[in-house]
Amino acid sequence: MAFSIVEYYGENSQYKCGYCKQSKSCSSYGMWAHKLSCQDYQELIDRGWRRSGCYCYKPMMEITCCPSYTIKCDAMNFRLNKSHKKIIKRMNKFLRDGKQEPSERTGQSSSEESTSQDMSGHEHMEVPIVQPKPLDSSLMGLLMDTNDEHQSAANEGGTSGLHTSKLTEPPTNAANSSDSNVSNQPKKAKQLRIERKREKLQKKGLQEAEIERMMKPIGFNKNQEKTLEDFLAECPQENETSVHRLKIVMLLTSGAKFQESLHVSYNLYQKYQSAIHNDPPGAIEDYLDFLVKSPLKVLLAYLPSCGSQGYGTFHQQYWLDDRLIAVGVLDVLPYCVSSVYFFYDPEFKFLSLGTYGSLRELAYTRSLNSKIPSIKSYYMGFYIHSCPKMRYKSNLQPSYLLCPEAYTWHALDKTVLAKLDANKYSRLNGDAGAQDSNNATEQDLKDVLLLVGRSYTTYSEYLEMVGKSIPFLPEYARLVGKNCAKKMMLYRV
């Protein structure tokens, strides 16, 4: 049984803003997640929550200096713009010949590219530093007893494409020489790429009709717009002559394989923080608390069509030859891929790795949809319209913002932008009568789940036993929503 244990901290006010850098201008609600199911976290982020390590926080939008709107991109309908295509082509060109443009060698880049380095929730966050209150030692078993049957397989990567994903593939076999219709002339590079792409799609178990549809933009219909996958497929392959090789590996943070490269990723993180954010080097414990430790419990969804597919927290590592140049921290949830953070080697800033990483994460989201159809969205963290440096997220379209009052999604279009231009905090839902459908009523409070000692009980039963109310309970239930309030166990000393 997958269940969640949370400890509500309440309001945390007047701390430094990580965006505008004002002191004592941010306020948020917070809670510590000792254990969190992926389904519960999905519901929490759809109510404006976000995690930093095991600490979950929800900005107090009405009073904070930089209101933070949850943003997601419709991954299945995503379309590239010219800037995106240019960035992918630049990467592919660099891999093939190792050359940089003159402006890149001098460290100069266009303003459009330089402002898109920290895409998709990759912003430099500053949240209040909160240490968890220790749980009673007798409760520690509750944190260790779920999903044990899946853990060993997940630690070693299992059979899921989540755990190890490579861009480089073994050379494809040559065409059957006995086929009289096949020319003995050497195949052109374009034809080789087409054949490799077809073989990759076949390995994914796609139907022939779907393969033909995905192949047409390159092979048959030149007038049809090329997809994100088409551009990424032009990345140099193992059997092509190129200067560099790029390999992307997906590692579960709680797995044994992740530990093998832990210090390499930590060193890269230190280098990034120092060069990009001018932060002093932090201890490895800080790195672990921020980007490695996660309250999300590993869960494998069993599907007849593809075997098992993992949910949880992963590091998507980008290896250039034998050098780690970037890492994307991702939460894979039942309905989305949520970007937690992204960091890269500043020496390769000319490749616009932040934006390139976002495009790769979008492609990854789309690939998961073929295994789990419910995964359709790519969450980019927060959109802060009042902070110009953060508006780049609107470049990934179609995107949607979460209304902070009705908790409904609204297209990030001219109408919404006009509202945010007029007021940095805005109720995005134009229907004044629209209400939060998941709001906890007074009647719902009776069913709020509490963890007391080693037993869980409802709030109504707790009142009968203790005879004393919990003052913050209505606020907690309102913020997490009645569904989570009735499923997650609220820890009480």
Side-chain angles (χ1 to χ4, degrees):
M1 175 183 177
F3 56 84
S4 304
I5 301 176
V6 299
E7 189 170 357
Y8 185 63
Y9 287 169
E11 182 178 331
N12 197 316
S13 300
Q14 298 185 342
Y15 56 90
K16 182 181 178 181
C17 178
Y19 303 106
C20 67
K21 304 303 180 183
Q22 292 186 62
S23 61
K24 300 182 178 181
S25 61
C26 274
S27 297
S28 62
Y29 301 101
M31 64 182 177
W32 190 268
H34 295 281
K35 188 176 187 178
L36 198 57
S37 76
C38 293
Q39 177 63 46
D40 288 343
Y41 185 54
Q42 174 76 66
E43 295 184 32
L44 287 174
I45 62 174
D46 285 335
R47 293 186 67 80
W49 289 85
R50 186 160 167 77
R51 75 173 187 87
S52 176
C54 293
Y55 181 71
C56 299
Y57 60 100
K58 176 179 168 60
M60 299 176 70
M61 302 274 283
E62 304 93 328
I63 64 174
T64 194
C65 56
C66 298
S68 306
Y69 297 83
T70 300
I71 181 172
K72 69 176 180 180
C73 177
D74 178 0
M76 306 315 297
N77 292 304
F78 170 72
R79 298 185 67 177
L80 293 158
N81 61 31
K82 290 183 179 179
S83 177
H84 298 149
K85 296 174 184 178
K86 181 178 179 181
I87 288 171
I88 296 176
K89 289 179 179 180
R90 181 194 299 130
M91 171 64 82
N92 293 342
K93 183 177 185 297
F94 172 73
L95 294 174
R96 285 197 174 90
D97 58 29
K99 296 180 180 180
Q100 304 175 33
E101 298 296 329
S103 60
E104 295 168 355
R105 289 194 294 269
T106 58
Q108 299 174 349
S109 60
S110 70
S111 59
E112 182 181 37
E113 295 156 6
S114 63
T115 58
S116 61
Q117 293 298 316
D118 295 322
M119 288 288 289
S120 69
H122 306 166
E123 66 267 19
H124 181 51
M125 295 293 298
E126 246 184 89
V127 296
I129 300 175
V130 181
Q131 295 298 326
K133 301 172 185 176
L135 285 178
D136 188 294
S137 59
S138 64
L139 298 177
M140 295 309 295
L142 291 173
L143 302 179
M144 305 295 292
D145 60 2
T146 60
N147 303 112
D148 290 339
E149 66 274 19
H150 304 316
Q151 193 65 44
S152 59
N155 284 347
E156 299 306 322
T159 59
S160 170
L162 271 175
H163 306 302
T164 303
S165 174
K166 297 184 178 180
L167 293 177
T168 54
E169 296 288 340
T172 56
N173 293 328
N176 191 331
S177 60
S178 63
D179 189 342
S180 59
N181 294 324
V182 178
S183 171
N184 291 326
Q185 296 297 321
K187 295 180 180 179
K188 294 183 179 181
K190 181 178 180 179
Q191 182 62 28
L192 288 172
R193 289 197 297 271
I194 292 173
E195 292 181 1
R196 282 194 298 271
K197 180 179 178 181
R198 179 180 292 277
E199 183 176 342
K200 285 183 181 180
L201 296 175
Q202 289 173 341
K203 289 180 179 179
K204 292 180 179 179
L206 298 179
Q207 298 297 322
E208 189 62 30
E210 180 67 9
I211 293 176
E212 289 299 324
R213 186 191 69 79
M214 298 182 70
M215 293 296 297
K216 281 183 179 180
I218 292 182
F220 299 94
N221 188 352
K222 295 183 179 179
N223 295 323
Q224 186 172 341
E225 184 179 0
K226 291 170 65 174
T227 66
L228 171 61
E229 288 76 12
D230 293 330
F231 280 95
L232 293 176
E234 295 174 359
C235 179
Q237 302 299 315
E238 200 59 54
N239 60 340
E240 289 186 50
T241 301
S242 60
V243 175
H244 298 294
R245 295 285 187 272
L246 180 65
K247 181 173 68 173
I248 298 180
V249 180
M250 201 75 170
L251 295 175
L252 186 68
T253 56
S254 59
K257 289 185 178 180
F258 175 80
Q259 296 297 322
E260 297 175 5
S261 58
L262 173 59
H263 282 277
V264 179
S265 64
Y266 165 61
N267 291 335
L268 176 62
Y269 172 74
Q270 280 193 309
K271 187 176 182 180
Y272 171 81
Q273 292 295 99
S274 298
I276 303 299
H277 296 301
N278 297 316
D279 285 348
I284 190 170
E285 288 77 15
D286 297 330
Y287 173 67
L288 294 175
D289 289 341
F290 179 34
L291 295 177
V292 177
K293 293 179 182 178
S294 170
L296 300 182
K297 298 297 106 179
V298 178
L299 177 65
L300 301 186
Y302 292 97
L303 303 172
S305 61
C306 64
S308 61
Q309 178 65 60
Y311 299 135
T313 301
F314 299 82
H315 276 206
Q316 190 175 57
Q317 299 181 338
Y318 295 70
W319 292 87
L320 182 67
D321 303 321
D322 295 322
R323 180 176 178 179
L324 183 65
I325 64 168
V327 174
V329 185
L330 302 174
D331 289 335
V332 179
L333 304 173
Y335 303 113
C336 74
V337 171
S338 175
S339 177
V340 178
Y341 203 73
F342 189 89
F343 56 97
Y344 57 86
D345 191 327
E347 292 182 30
F348 296 91
K349 187 175 182 179
F350 65 90
L351 292 173
S352 300
L353 287 174
T355 304
Y356 185 80
S358 290
L359 297 173
R360 279 288 177 185
E361 291 171 5
L362 262 167
Y364 178 62
T365 305
R366 289 155 65 102
S367 71
L368 288 182
N369 176 261
S370 64
K371 301 175 182 179
I372 304 180
S374 62
I375 296 181
K376 297 180 180 180
S377 299
Y378 172 59
Y379 282 55
M380 299 177 277
F382 288 136
Y383 174 81
I384 299 92
H385 190 72
S386 57
C387 181
K389 291 182 179 180
M390 298 302 297
R391 294 186 185 181
Y392 59 77
K393 294 185 182 183
S394 62
N395 291 331
L396 298 182
Q397 289 290 343
S399 286
Y400 300 83
L401 298 186
L402 184 69
C403 175
E405 296 180 9
Y407 297 111
T408 49
W409 293 99
H410 302 272
L412 184 51
D413 55 17
K414 293 181 180 179
T415 301
V416 166
L417 291 175
K419 289 182 178 182
L420 297 179
D421 284 337
N423 298 287
K424 61 181 182 180
Y425 172 76
S426 175
R427 173 191 168 93
L428 301 181
N429 193 316
D431 181 2
Q435 301 295 321
D436 172 16
S437 61
N438 192 26
N439 186 42
T441 65
E442 185 174 350
Q443 181 64 31
D444 293 319
L445 294 182
K446 298 179 180 179
D447 298 323
V448 172
L449 204 57
L450 303 177
L451 177 62
V452 183
R454 285 191 59 84
S455 302
Y456 63 88
T457 183
T458 63
Y459 184 48
S460 60
E461 294 170 341
Y462 175 85
L463 288 174
E464 291 180 5
M465 291 186 298
V466 180
K468 185 178 180 181
S469 65
I470 302 176
F472 63 79
L473 196 73
E475 178 181 84
Y476 161 78
R478 173 177 61 84
L479 295 172
V480 303
K482 63 181 178 183
N483 292 339
C484 280
K486 294 178 180 182
K487 292 188 299 177
M488 301 192 306
M489 288 189 281
L490 177 63
Y491 175 64
R492 294 292 293 161
V493 179

